[in-house]
Amino acid sequence: MNTKHLIDLNDCSKEEWEDIINLAVNISDAPERYAETCKGKILATLFYEPSTRTQMSFQTAMLKLGGNVIGFDNPLNSSVSKGETLADTTKIVSGYADILAIRHPVEGASLVSAQYSNCPIINAGDGGHLHPTQTLTDLVTMKKEIGHIDNLTVGFCGDLKYGRTVHSLIKALCHYQNIKFILISTPELTLPDYFKEYIVQNNCAFQDVLSLEEAICELDVLYMTRIQKERFASEALYNEQKNVYILDNKKLEHAKSSLKILHPLPRVDEIAAEVDEDDRATYFKQAKYGVFARMALISTLLGQTHEKYQLKGTSSEKACSNSRCITNQENGIRKSFYQIGEKSYCEYCDAECK
Ligand code: NCD
């Protein structure tokens, strides 16, 4: 793989990420064979936002590869609480560790780290933007449980506006053959325009749908998501959206027997506990595959010669229109935009900038 960091899966070619998926599948068949692959190496997990699965699966992955782990999961216990910038924290920690996994509430944060780091950076979730290692996990799950990733009708249900797992997975699936997207959400939580534009630019089809009941019979994969309470401007707005979509056994009566139900987890109440007993419930297996996906990714990135990330877009003094973007939250960050047709997009958060 040529890519030195994993910020957005689409920085790699499809062949490159398929190599990681295939390696993850091989690792899952015999993980003990990889027990010394990263001996003597250190992974640092810098988690500025809560996490159970992502952080622990990164740590488990590194330990299973024979490496060690350092890091924090509460920035209040680190120098971040004294006002240290992300760039400085990255420079310091990348002098201690061989690879860094960063989760941050601000969109584009890991791209900032990748410009300053002395070792590979993995984006473990940047605000409501992207979550590429969850996507690797999802693709490994589909490969293992369905056998292929082409020719599928995939329904995404719930918070498609702030759900970074949804954004990353849609971007990746656009590169497979004959994928049809059914976007099941309220108008308030619909997929942001720039991701819809990405679907269209890549010649895929999508349909916006309000009712899970009506869409479920068509689906090969149903990707349920949590309403991302922490990203709403107010509790009142969140309360209007919670509990709209609940998958239960009754709704599943209309689904294909081959359906696979995925969820990045944690769930709140969008999947009733009774569904866990259904053979189509795949989300707990999916969480396990996350360890193998991250083992494959860590060992691949550690096999590269390191280079700092160089911005690809054109720099400009104009501001990104997205208030949740790191360029609007921290000082001294070099802005960068890329063009598709007439439109200009922020390299950090992909928002269209007018
Ligand atoms: C997701 C995340 O953090 O974006 N969880 C995860 O990484 N497994 C989804 C969520 O929090 O709802």
Side-chain angles (χ1 to χ4, degrees):
M1 168 156 127
N2 290 320
T3 315
K4 311 295 179 189
H5 307 269
L6 185 68
I7 308 302
D8 176 344
L9 208 51
N10 294 61
D11 291 338
C12 318
S13 64
K14 182 182 168 195
E15 289 68 34
E16 286 177 333
W17 84 59
E18 284 267 306
D19 284 347
I20 298 175
I21 292 169
N22 292 332
L23 177 58
V25 170
N26 288 342
I27 294 175
S28 73
D29 292 335
E32 61 290 345
R33 281 206 215 129
Y34 299 82
E36 306 227 329
T37 307
C38 293
K39 205 167 166 204
K41 301 287 184 192
I42 296 177
L43 163 77
T45 55
L46 274 55
F47 274 55
Y48 294 76
E49 254 193 356
S51 169
T52 305
R53 264 152 300 275
T54 305
Q55 190 180 30
M56 287 173 72
S57 65
F58 264 115
Q59 294 170 340
T60 307
M62 192 50 160
L63 295 174
K64 279 184 182 281
L65 291 167
N68 289 300
V69 220
I70 58 170
F72 59 75
D73 57 10
N74 179 356
L76 297 178
N77 292 337
S78 75
S79 281
V80 173
S81 65
K82 301 178 190 167
E84 186 167 65
T85 62
L86 182 58
D88 280 359
T89 304
T90 305
K91 285 182 203 164
I92 300 302
V93 182
S94 67
Y96 300 155
D98 300 286
I99 186 162
L100 269 55
I102 300 188
R103 167 168 289 194
H104 201 284
V106 178
E107 303 185 4
S110 48
L111 191 64
V112 171
S113 287
Q115 292 170 60
Y116 294 99
S117 176
N118 296 309
C119 68
I121 295 289
I122 300 172
N123 179 6
D126 60 329
H129 182 218
L130 295 173
H131 193 347
T133 65
Q134 181 63 47
T135 298
L136 286 175
T137 302
D138 302 337
L139 296 176
V140 170
T141 307
M142 288 158 80
K143 219 20 171 281
K144 291 276 289 191
E145 298 295 320
I146 305 174
H148 58 91
I149 305 176
D150 297 310
N151 304 317
L152 295 172
T153 299
V154 184
F156 288 88
C157 179
D159 191 343
L160 313 191
K161 180 176 182 184
Y162 298 116
R164 56 194 173 195
T165 61
V166 171
H167 303 159
S168 278
L169 182 55
I170 287 179
K171 282 184 85 175
L173 286 176
C174 281
H175 297 274
Y176 289 84
Q177 295 296 310
N178 192 26
I179 299 287
K180 185 174 169 203
F181 296 105
I182 312 261
L183 307 176
I184 309 156
S185 78
T186 60
E188 291 79 8
L189 294 184
T190 188
L191 190 71
D193 282 345
Y194 41 97
F195 290 108
K196 286 186 181 167
E197 281 161 17
Y198 191 88
I199 296 177
V200 173
Q201 282 152 7
N202 285 283
N203 303 318
C204 290
F206 77 87
Q207 207 185 326
D208 277 308
V209 170
L210 198 57
S211 157
L212 174 57
E213 283 91 332
E214 278 171 29
I216 202 163
C217 58
E218 271 195 69
L219 306 179
D220 300 304
V221 174
L222 171 57
Y223 198 91
M224 291 297 294
T225 60
R226 174 179 72 89
I227 306 300
Q228 307 275 300
K229 183 178 181 183
E230 65 277 24
R231 314 231 184 268
F232 280 75
S234 73
E235 179 102 17
L237 287 173
Y238 165 71
N239 287 337
E240 281 169 22
Q241 296 296 325
K242 68 173 192 192
N243 303 333
V244 175
Y245 296 105
I246 297 178
L247 180 67
D248 54 18
N249 284 345
K250 182 144 185 21
K251 290 197 184 84
L252 276 171
E253 281 171 13
H254 307 287
K256 292 182 183 172
S257 59
S258 58
L259 173 74
K260 299 291 171 202
I261 306 162
L262 304 189
H263 190 312
L265 302 176
R267 74 172 144 191
V268 181
D269 49 15
E270 59 279 0
I271 301 182
E274 63 186 19
V275 175
D276 299 356
E277 305 309 317
D278 192 295
D279 286 344
R280 292 169 285 189
T282 313
Y283 31 92
F284 291 119
K285 281 189 192 165
Q286 184 186 358
K288 277 198 176 169
Y289 292 137
V291 172
F292 305 121
R294 291 178 174 104
M295 286 173 78
L297 175 66
I298 292 169
S299 54
T300 302
L301 285 174
L302 283 176
Q304 319 281 1
T305 47
H306 177 68
E307 277 170 32
K308 289 195 170 88
Y309 186 95
Q310 305 287 339
L311 288 170
K312 300 187 192 98
T314 44
S315 67
S316 156
E317 278 316 302
K318 78 177 165 189
C320 171
S321 58
N322 173 10
S323 61
R324 301 183 309 273
C325 175
I326 188 102
T327 58
N328 291 317
Q329 305 248 347
E330 271 202 23
N331 293 328
I333 292 174
R334 194 153 72 84
K335 300 184 179 68
S336 177
F337 298 90
Y338 62 91
Q339 251 351 84
I340 298 182
E342 298 287 285
K343 294 183 176 172
S344 175
Y345 298 87
C346 173
E347 186 170 349
Y348 291 84
C349 70
D350 293 308
E352 189 192 338
C353 296
K354 295 176 177 142

